[in-house]
Amino acid sequence: MTGRSISYKHLSAWLFTLPGLFVQFFFGWFPILFAFFVGFQQYYLVKPPEFVGTANFREVFSDPLVLTALWNTFYYAFLAIGLTFIIPIFVSILLMEMAARTIRIMMLLWFIPVASTAGIAIWKYMYNPTLGLMNGIPTLFGMERWGIKWLDDPSLAMISLVLPGLILFGPGLIYIAALQNVPEELYEAADLEGASFFRKIRLVTLPRLRPIIAMMLLFSIIGSMQVFELPFIMTGGGPGYATTTVVMYVYNLAFGAYNLGKATALAIVLFFIIMTLIIIQRRFFKENLDD
Amino acid sequence: MRRVVLLICSLCILLSCTQCARRDDAFTRRSEEKTLTPLDYTQLRDREQVKYKDVILRIPASWGGVLLPVDPGAYPTILDKVVHSGDLGTIMGLYNQALFELQHPRVRVEYIHFDMWSDTFRSTLAVALSARRAPAYYIARDLPQTIEQGLYADLTDLMKKWDQFHLQPEGSIREGTVNGRIYTLAGNEMGATIIRYRKDWFREAGIFNEFGEPGPRSVWTWDDFRRIAAKLTDPKRGRYGFAGEMGDFLYNAPHGLDLYVPDPTGQRTWKFNDADPELRRSLQAVREMANKERSANTSVSMGWFEWHNEFDAGRAGMIVSFAPHIPREFLENPHKFGKDKPYGETVGMATLPLGPAGLSGLRPITNPIGFDPTMSPEQLEAAFEWCKSYFYGDMFVNRMRTEAQIARVLNRRSTVYAEVLALPYKPKENLLEEPLEKVFPKDYLETYRRIRESHAPPLPREFGLKEPPTNEYNRAIRAMYSEAITSNADLEAIISKTASIINTTLLNFRGKDDREQMRRYIAARTAFYQKHYPRYYEQVWRDKVQKFYQVP
Amino acid sequence: MPLIPKVGRKRFQTRLSLFSIGAFLWIGVLLHLFPVAWMISASLKPTTEIFEKPFNLIPEKPTTASYELLFTSVSGFLSTGADVFRYPMSVYLINSLIIAGLTVLLQIPITAMAAYAVSKLHAPRAARLLFFFFFGTLMVPGQIAIVPRFLLLSHFPWPTTAVPTVPFTDISLPSYSFIGTYWGIILPAAFSAFNFLLFKGFFDTLPTELIEAARMDGASEMMTLRKVMLPLARPVIAVTVYFAFTGAWNDFLGPWIILMSEQGMWPLSVVIYKLQWFLTSWQPTQGSMDPAAQRLISSGVGYNALMALAVIESIPIFLAFVIFREQLMKGIQISGLKG
């Protein structure tokens, strides 16, 4: 009786797992592992591929554009995380101070989502040199336009890409959900000790948010190192090469030049860089304080 | 267990063998039959007719075919919608399909959707070709790499049999020729990159051409262009003399600046031409126009579309445009700028400015067409016949007739005039009710005359030389110019950076017999300049060859 | 509430700080809403106003012309519209809904079942291994798989450009190209490691006794999952559905690579990219000139149509957010993402 039920349990366990296993194998792990094979191949449009050894990697390392793209990617990740990562956290903390009804309305308004390509299109319109509002705001008050060239200035282009992130997007909901779970007694205890506003944030709120911040930071590193749509749609990599990121270069190599081997070799290089960053982040930013 | 597997395997193999055998059978039987005339064909029964059509021609809807509307809307059926909404274009597409199938009984025409204009054309086409879903013909882009990659069928033999072969624009033939073999067919809308200008602005500024009309003289130089752009600029009224991408072609072609030249060290075929002082002058010129004189409006986040909108909104006096566009707009949209401003008196067209030694950057060109290389010879021939008929034959005449009738019904100018103005081929019948001279302003006709008379210089590919990948190369060049315009960086730094990128990633190859081919190529260039641009040959080219075109 | 003590709420200083926090937040809200308002206002302007008076905050002559343009198919001979408008916007909208809907329909059951099995059914060792197998891809940058996945989808299941043949013959093995089909986008999204984590975190909190009790009653595993577990998991399902839906709706690179040549199948995210590409980056190359682009230039379409498209694309995302908001909060709290 027990033997039968165990095997039945096992059977159904595997039956439940099977579809996920199939998808995760074919579309999750297999392409990742297979990349290490593609990187050593040369592909042709109508002929079968050839094995070319490390030629693709040698090309990647001798390509001056790769360095530029890597630098741009780091620069973007630095700006994106530095400027936009903290904002939803602090907004959530402040939002918790409001009356319950205000929280509900404000939450809706603060974290109102815009579809991703739509958001990028809006900002591209805002940055437009003649029609865009970013230069036109002063004209609303009857003044001259600002002569800032935003996306057309190589030194400003990357910041201009990050800027929309300051007021659009942001996974604020997750922080609010986490904050609502913080027991009120902790704050009351801190009150009794006469802790100030900022001290309470530092001693009570942030430690409680720590695991979730660690996780969001991880995702945000992975995400911003792989940024593609934003520069692809906003600037197409220009001016010059000022906003060409690695994934964009991978895309250009693969689907513009049809150089699939070199594209994958570059993707592999970026893969190892991101993995190193992840390991460093995990080492220094433990998710759980108790460990 | 093993036996079962073996059994299944052998069954599969057997099955596929019989399949092959059956196909062979059908093939031999078909080739034994005599080919039917259209009359024979119409007397067949339905089933035999269906069986007889064994040459399938997939025609892309975006070029040559039509697709029925996707949904009937308020009508009971889609065909009802086509008929009752007066969609004569779709009906004409079906009519032409039927006509062509009758003329060629073995051919069955299928209209399919295929997007040939997107960025990733190559990978899309590669997948479509390997899945046998590709259309019979498509636009040939990224030449010549796509020819080397085997994306187009060899058309040389078909071309030689064709009586209108020599009417194709010279530029198109050169684009599609690799090592003496021809791979592309020129489309039927001849054009060139030209300058579109505001006649009313020119009148205000007092600039008139040799016909006494506002506009630049039909022979004008780069310096004229720059001076006029500065003169038309008026920051107070938000006016720029010129709007557009300050890329290379406006300056480089008339000044004879090649951005890659033979590598004198002989390690590679080409090297980036970073030694030529003309390159510095070119970068300096666009930088000054954009930043010092502020006569050119230019940006990475704007494209052709927006330059045209800047032009229409009255913020740009000159833009770069494509020749066939203007006559067509002139006919279709005469009141685009308001009732009191007729199109022909507002928008003018002029050829690109010449260089100081009289060299012209004008290239007569059409959309080149490549054919699916996986087709059978019958399919290829049928596709070629289709193109001829569609470009200037029966189908073309039918389409133009319909267009003229629609125009009469709707009480507007027919666009047939624009089609005929841009047609490189000889149509089967005369389609015009009045001569072109009565329809178009003088500058349009003059520009087209000059386009037709212009010549395209030889290209390296014709001699078997490998060229850098077009897309990536253009992107690198565009990046160099946009950096020169948008930043204050030293020009030498920009040039050396670009040289290192282009030399290491795009020009890192060496062909087998490239020296011999290179000699022939340069000799052909010399002969070309001697024949068509003797002044340029005397003043510039002879020195240039000595300095930059030394074959090791 | 918690940072500012409840006692002494009436003190001036406390009031001032509450007021300044409120003011700061409202300014933020205004800043945040501004682009959205600008998008809506621009979508209601006629084209001439967009180009001639670009900085009007409120349209002078509001019209719904750009929406009408988007929703009417302008195929055929008489049209001057561009290729982007060959299909009425309803086609693209339906495509987006199909892709997002099927993704949700496939992804949620598959992920939930896998998470349930890993959490409750498998032996500890297998469960540990499976857990890393399922959730590991989340910790790995996905960009590395762009090219191999494209190759895999173009000749499934052979990740190459040339399908291998049966040994010693010329007969190629069976393969299927997902390029140009919805499945090429939906199948790779049929399992989500992130949602797996959410489900697993939730199932871990449920006591095993519940399942035991259901089994005692003779319920099959499927019944247990459906009748006992899922009703409890409603908030988590809401969260995962929300993430799956927005993820699929916002996805751009996937549909762009897979459906590139099939315009009738494009979702809105690709259409919006294509239209803005026409508006801002399109260049003719080597004398080849897209006739559709020529017509688009003549048709006088501008940023108003683009913004109208952006509004249309954002509405479902916004609706999903409003509908699922409360459930979302609950779901995040009870699943593994809690603080």
Side-chain angles (χ1 to χ4, degrees):
Chain A
M1 178 70 197
T2 38
R4 217 189 116 250
S5 80
I6 283 176
S7 73
Y8 172 70
K9 189 181 155 185
H10 271 201
L11 184 69
S12 54
W14 284 107
L15 274 181
F16 275 28
T17 329
L18 209 60
L21 216 59
F22 176 82
V23 175
Q24 180 73 341
F25 174 74
F26 268 111
F27 300 108
W29 288 109
F30 181 61
I32 293 174
L33 297 177
F34 194 72
F36 292 91
F37 183 70
V38 175
F40 296 94
Q41 299 255 73
Q42 168 84 46
Y43 283 82
Y44 302 97
L45 282 166
V46 275
K47 278 188 289 178
E50 272 170 22
F51 186 79
V52 290
T54 55
N56 289 326
F57 287 92
R58 270 181 279 134
E59 265 186 50
V60 165
F61 287 119
S62 67
D63 185 347
L65 258 184
V66 168
L67 258 179
T68 319
L70 270 175
W71 159 249
N72 287 337
T73 307
F74 275 110
Y75 185 43
Y76 174 84
F78 174 76
L79 281 178
I81 294 172
L83 287 178
T84 61
F85 182 71
I86 321 170
I87 288 184
I89 302 178
F90 273 90
V91 168
S92 311
I93 291 174
L94 293 180
L95 210 52
M96 294 305 289
E97 297 313 304
M98 300 284 105
R101 167 176 283 188
T102 330
I103 291 183
R104 289 179 57 173
I105 298 172
M106 276 216 177
M107 202 166 75
L108 200 64
L109 296 177
W110 254 102
F111 302 119
I112 189 175
V114 176
S116 66
T117 41
I120 299 172
I122 297 171
W123 279 92
K124 190 160 183 185
Y125 179 31
M126 300 273 263
Y127 281 135
N128 188 299
T130 52
L131 309 173
L133 204 57
M134 290 300 274
N135 270 330
I137 288 174
T139 59
L140 297 178
F141 309 104
M143 289 181 282
E144 282 272 302
R145 285 184 203 187
W146 283 324
I148 307 173
K149 295 202 294 188
W150 302 111
L151 296 175
D152 279 311
D153 187 338
S155 54
L156 261 183
M158 198 57 102
I159 296 172
S160 307
L161 283 191
V162 180
L163 216 55
L166 276 179
I167 55 177
L168 277 187
F169 323 123
L173 218 59
I174 287 173
Y175 296 115
I176 293 194
L179 279 170
Q180 283 182 342
N181 260 17
V182 181
E184 204 129 311
E185 297 85 61
L186 285 176
Y187 292 104
E188 281 160 18
D191 279 338
L192 289 182
E193 284 169 23
S196 71
F197 184 83
F198 292 105
R199 208 175 146 74
K200 268 186 282 185
I201 293 182
R202 206 158 57 86
L203 291 181
V204 184
T205 317
L206 287 184
R208 283 272 151 181
L209 280 183
R210 196 183 163 92
I212 209 150
I213 292 179
M215 203 172 84
M216 296 311 288
L217 185 62
L218 182 71
F219 290 151
S220 147
I221 290 174
I222 297 181
S224 55
M225 289 295 289
Q226 300 185 63
V227 64
F228 168 76
E229 284 166 35
L230 199 57
F232 180 70
I233 299 180
M234 282 272 230
T235 59
Y241 295 100
T243 53
T244 305
T245 60
V246 177
V247 178
M248 221 185 113
Y249 194 38
V250 168
Y251 170 88
N252 283 343
L253 282 174
F255 298 102
Y258 208 75
N259 196 344
L260 302 180
K262 187 182 171 189
T264 311
L266 176 57
I268 291 171
V269 171
L270 181 68
F271 174 84
F272 282 115
I273 291 171
I274 300 180
M275 286 315 274
T276 319
L277 283 180
I278 291 174
I279 291 165
I280 293 172
Q281 193 263 355
R282 304 280 288 178
R283 179 71 52 85
F284 285 95
F285 210 137
K286 288 245 164 50
E287 276 190 19
N288 220 327
L289 268 188
D290 310 331
D291 292 350
Chain B
M1 190 64 197
R2 236 189 192 170
R3 271 189 202 166
V4 176
V5 173
L6 267 174
L7 198 76
I8 293 172
C9 278
S10 46
L11 260 176
C12 284
I13 293 170
L14 260 175
L15 251 168
S16 50
C17 283
T18 49
Q19 207 97 69
C20 290
R22 211 184 289 154
R23 208 178 299 152
D24 281 350
D25 247 20
F27 187 73
T28 43
R29 210 171 50 234
R30 178 76 67 235
S31 56
E32 276 163 19
E33 279 170 15
K34 72 178 176 77
T35 39
L36 299 180
T37 62
L39 184 65
D40 297 340
Y41 173 75
T42 52
Q43 282 156 1
L44 294 179
R45 276 175 298 154
D46 274 10
R47 188 160 304 175
E48 287 167 342
Q49 284 184 338
V50 170
K51 233 171 148 189
Y52 188 67
K53 291 207 173 291
D54 60 345
V55 177
I56 292 169
L57 210 53
R58 286 182 295 269
I59 303 296
S62 50
W63 201 354
V66 294
L67 284 181
L68 291 170
V70 268
D71 81 303
Y75 299 95
T77 66
I78 286 177
L79 208 59
D80 273 318
K81 177 175 181 163
V82 172
V83 172
H84 296 307
S85 63
D87 191 353
L88 289 170
T90 303
I91 293 174
M92 185 40 69
L94 300 177
Y95 179 90
N96 277 339
Q97 186 180 11
L99 177 69
F100 189 79
E101 288 201 15
L102 190 62
Q103 289 169 336
H104 306 268
R106 278 182 70 186
V107 177
R108 197 175 86 219
V109 176
E110 285 173 7
Y111 288 152
I112 61 162
H113 173 77
F114 184 80
D115 182 17
M116 50 181 96
W117 305 99
S118 56
D119 281 351
T120 49
F121 161 77
R122 254 187 277 184
S123 46
T124 326
L125 188 55
V127 171
L129 282 175
S130 69
R132 299 284 161 113
R133 280 194 285 113
Y137 58 84
Y138 29 79
I139 174 122
R141 285 172 61 186
D142 307 345
L143 300 171
Q145 288 78 42
T146 44
I147 297 178
E148 284 156 16
Q149 285 162 333
L151 288 185
Y152 315 117
D154 188 338
L155 300 177
T156 321
D157 302 332
L158 285 171
M159 288 279 190
K160 285 198 178 132
K161 285 191 269 174
W162 179 31
D163 53 339
Q164 299 214 6
F165 167 67
H166 60 285
L167 288 178
Q168 295 182 88
E170 196 182 4
S172 299
I173 300 178
R174 290 199 188 282
E175 284 280 342
T177 304
V178 167
N179 216 356
R181 308 296 292 177
I182 304 168
Y183 293 88
T184 66
L185 166 67
N188 69 341
E189 187 180 69
M190 183 165 71
T193 315
I194 45 97
I195 298 280
R196 169 196 288 240
Y197 61 89
R198 291 285 293 228
K199 285 188 180 167
D200 45 347
W201 291 25
F202 274 71
R203 178 169 295 141
E204 270 178 43
I207 307 164
F208 293 92
N209 61 15
E210 63 264 37
F211 311 116
E213 283 173 6
R217 305 180 69 82
S218 53
V219 178
W220 59 325
T221 63
W222 166 265
D223 293 325
D224 293 336
F225 166 74
R226 197 167 158 180
R227 212 178 44 244
I228 291 173
K231 201 168 175 187
L232 294 177
T233 301
D234 185 355
K236 272 187 201 127
R237 293 155 81 183
R239 283 183 168 188
Y240 283 97
F242 174 78
E245 187 176 298
M246 296 302 289
D248 53 329
F249 66 93
L250 255 184
Y251 183 93
N252 295 6
H255 287 79
L257 170 61
D258 284 332
L259 289 176
Y260 51 90
V261 288
D263 183 14
T265 63
Q267 286 164 339
R268 295 168 307 222
T269 305
W270 305 103
K271 79 185 242 301
F272 184 66
N273 189 8
D274 51 359
D276 198 335
E278 198 73 72
L279 177 61
R280 282 141 190 88
R281 285 200 289 273
S282 161
L283 289 168
Q284 190 65 35
V286 295
R287 178 179 264 187
E288 280 174 8
M289 272 186 76
N291 297 322
K292 207 173 107 200
E293 299 155 27
R294 292 185 182 279
S295 57
N297 184 8
T298 177
S299 159
V300 288
S301 51
M302 292 169 89
W304 262 52
F305 193 93
E306 274 185 278
W307 308 131
H308 282 77
N309 279 323
E310 287 292 295
F311 181 85
D312 292 347
R315 285 193 291 266
M318 295 184 281
I319 56 169
V320 171
S321 192
F322 197 56
H325 191 190
I326 297 176
R328 182 163 325 119
E329 213 175 46
F330 168 77
L331 296 170
E332 273 180 354
N333 209 348
H335 301 301
K336 189 171 184 178
F337 295 88
K339 289 273 176 209
D340 50 331
K341 273 188 176 178
Y343 192 90
E345 287 172 28
T346 313
V347 180
M349 65 196 270
T351 51
L352 297 179
L354 305 184
L359 189 62
S360 161
L362 197 62
R363 303 271 180 279
I365 204 157
T366 66
N367 281 333
I369 291 178
F371 289 75
D372 177 358
T374 63
M375 289 195 294
S376 67
E378 288 92 4
Q379 279 178 310
L380 185 62
E381 207 177 330
F384 202 76
E385 285 301 318
W386 171 278
C387 284
K388 286 200 263 181
S389 179
Y390 184 76
F391 287 166
Y392 59 85
D394 289 330
M395 290 199 260
F396 179 76
V397 172
N398 288 341
R399 279 193 302 130
M400 291 305 114
R401 288 261 161 76
T402 317
E403 161 59 27
Q405 277 164 353
I406 293 176
R408 223 170 291 140
V409 172
L410 299 183
N411 198 17
R412 64 165 164 79
R413 304 282 274 284
S414 126
T415 53
V416 176
Y417 297 101
E419 297 262 357
V420 172
L421 182 65
L423 189 70
Y425 304 113
K426 276 205 183 73
K428 279 183 119 175
E429 294 166 38
N430 180 30
L431 294 158
L432 303 177
E433 285 165 14
E434 47 186 337
L436 293 174
E437 288 75 32
K438 277 195 175 169
V439 178
F440 292 114
K442 275 203 190 96
D443 49 319
Y444 297 8
L445 297 167
E446 171 66 14
T447 307
Y448 255 97
R449 193 185 62 78
R450 292 176 55 84
I451 290 173
R452 281 177 193 276
E453 283 174 3
S454 61
H455 300 278
L459 294 172
R461 67 192 73 160
E462 294 171 59
F463 303 89
L465 286 164
K466 199 175 166 211
E467 291 173 40
T470 323
N471 261 353
E472 288 66 48
Y473 171 77
N474 284 343
R475 189 178 294 134
I477 299 300
R478 199 172 290 157
M480 173 172 76
Y481 277 88
S482 92
E483 200 173 340
I485 291 165
T486 54
S487 75
N488 299 320
D490 183 30
L491 288 184
E492 292 303 322
I494 296 174
I495 290 171
S496 69
K497 187 172 139 197
T498 312
S500 94
I501 289 170
I502 291 186
N503 282 338
T504 53
T505 64
L506 303 175
L507 296 176
N508 54 350
F509 55 82
R510 158 123 210 257
K512 238 189 359 199
D513 311 317
D514 61 347
R515 285 179 201 174
E516 186 44 40
Q517 291 163 342
M518 189 71 81
R519 274 190 203 104
R520 277 169 48 218
Y521 165 59
I522 291 169
R525 283 278 292 270
T526 307
F528 173 82
Y529 290 131
Q530 270 176 324
K531 188 170 169 205
H532 298 296
Y533 298 100
R535 192 151 68 90
Y536 177 75
Y537 171 75
E538 291 290 329
Q539 292 177 358
V540 185
W541 179 251
R542 273 201 302 206
D543 290 348
K544 227 174 194 171
V545 171
Q546 292 299 321
K547 266 192 208 151
F548 303 116
Y549 292 82
Q550 280 311 317
V551 182
Chain C
M1 209 102 348
L3 287 175
I4 291 161
K6 279 200 182 105
V7 283
R9 282 241 151 189
K10 294 211 170 125
R11 265 172 50 200
F12 174 73
Q13 212 180 348
T14 324
R15 279 190 166 189
L16 186 72
S17 58
L18 261 180
F19 176 78
S20 51
I21 290 173
F24 169 77
L25 287 176
W26 279 116
I27 290 172
V29 165
L30 285 183
L31 263 180
H32 189 152
L33 287 183
F34 185 69
V36 179
W38 177 246
M39 161 175 87
I40 295 169
S41 124
S43 76
L44 293 172
K45 288 180 188 171
T47 312
T48 44
E49 198 175 327
I50 288 271
F51 286 109
E52 276 154 25
K53 292 173 189 160
F55 308 122
N56 279 358
L57 280 188
I58 296 158
E60 265 174 19
K61 291 178 211 144
T63 107
T64 53
S66 39
Y67 291 92
E68 278 159 29
L69 175 70
L70 291 181
F71 277 99
T72 39
S73 155
V74 283
S75 68
F77 199 54
L78 300 174
S79 71
T80 48
D83 247 21
V84 187
F85 301 126
R86 183 186 300 136
Y87 299 95
M89 215 37 58
S90 48
V91 170
Y92 301 128
L93 197 64
I94 290 168
N95 291 340
S96 268
L97 286 173
I98 289 175
I99 290 171
L102 280 181
T103 304
V104 170
L105 280 184
L106 264 182
Q107 189 193 91
I108 302 302
I110 288 179
T111 311
M113 268 157 53
Y116 177 67
V118 169
S119 172
K120 294 287 180 226
L121 298 181
H122 278 292
R125 261 184 74 184
R128 239 183 115 71
L129 275 176
L130 281 173
F131 177 68
F132 280 109
F133 178 79
F134 278 134
F135 132 95
T137 47
L138 201 59
M139 292 292 159
V140 168
Q143 49 88 21
I144 192 172
I146 295 175
V147 174
R149 191 179 296 135
F150 171 75
L151 289 173
L152 180 67
L153 287 171
S154 62
H155 301 278
F156 192 82
W158 317 104
T160 165
T161 45
V163 177
T165 52
V166 178
F168 314 116
T169 61
D170 285 341
I171 305 159
S172 43
L173 288 164
S175 74
Y176 184 74
S177 171
F178 283 111
I179 304 294
T181 66
Y182 292 129
W183 295 109
I185 307 159
I186 295 163
L187 278 186
F191 177 86
S192 148
F194 184 74
N195 286 345
F196 171 81
L197 212 58
L198 291 182
F199 271 121
K200 165 112 184 358
F202 168 72
F203 286 131
D204 280 348
T205 62
L206 294 182
T208 327
E209 289 81 50
L210 268 176
I211 306 170
E212 298 294 330
R215 274 198 202 119
M216 284 296 168
D217 293 344
S220 68
E221 296 297 339
M222 199 63 205
M223 288 272 277
T224 321
L225 179 63
R226 262 179 46 205
K227 291 277 157 67
V228 183
M229 293 292 161
L230 290 190
L232 289 171
R234 274 175 66 175
V236 181
I237 293 177
V239 179
T240 47
V241 165
Y242 176 77
F243 283 134
F245 181 80
T246 49
W249 190 271
N250 283 337
D251 188 17
F252 164 71
L253 187 56
W256 176 234
I257 292 175
I258 305 293
L259 298 179
M260 175 86 61
S261 61
E262 305 292 325
Q263 196 186 341
M265 299 171 91
W266 284 352
L268 283 172
S269 57
V270 171
V271 176
I272 212 171
Y273 163 72
K274 202 66 189 181
L275 181 57
Q276 73 82 29
W277 181 78
F278 262 123
L279 283 175
T280 61
S281 326
W282 174 80
Q283 315 258 5
T285 49
Q286 284 189 344
S288 59
M289 178 82 176
D290 185 346
Q294 288 188 51
R295 272 180 276 135
L296 183 68
I297 288 176
S298 309
S299 74
V301 173
Y303 278 102
N304 47 351
L306 185 65
M307 290 298 110
L309 243 182
V311 171
I312 296 169
E313 200 201 358
S314 297
I315 287 173
I317 296 281
F318 178 67
L319 284 183
F321 183 75
V322 173
I323 295 168
F324 283 121
R325 192 171 39 116
E326 294 298 317
Q327 298 275 7
L328 256 160
M329 299 283 293
K330 244 189 258 165
I332 293 172
Q333 279 164 9
I334 58 177
S335 68
L337 273 179
K338 63 185 171 197

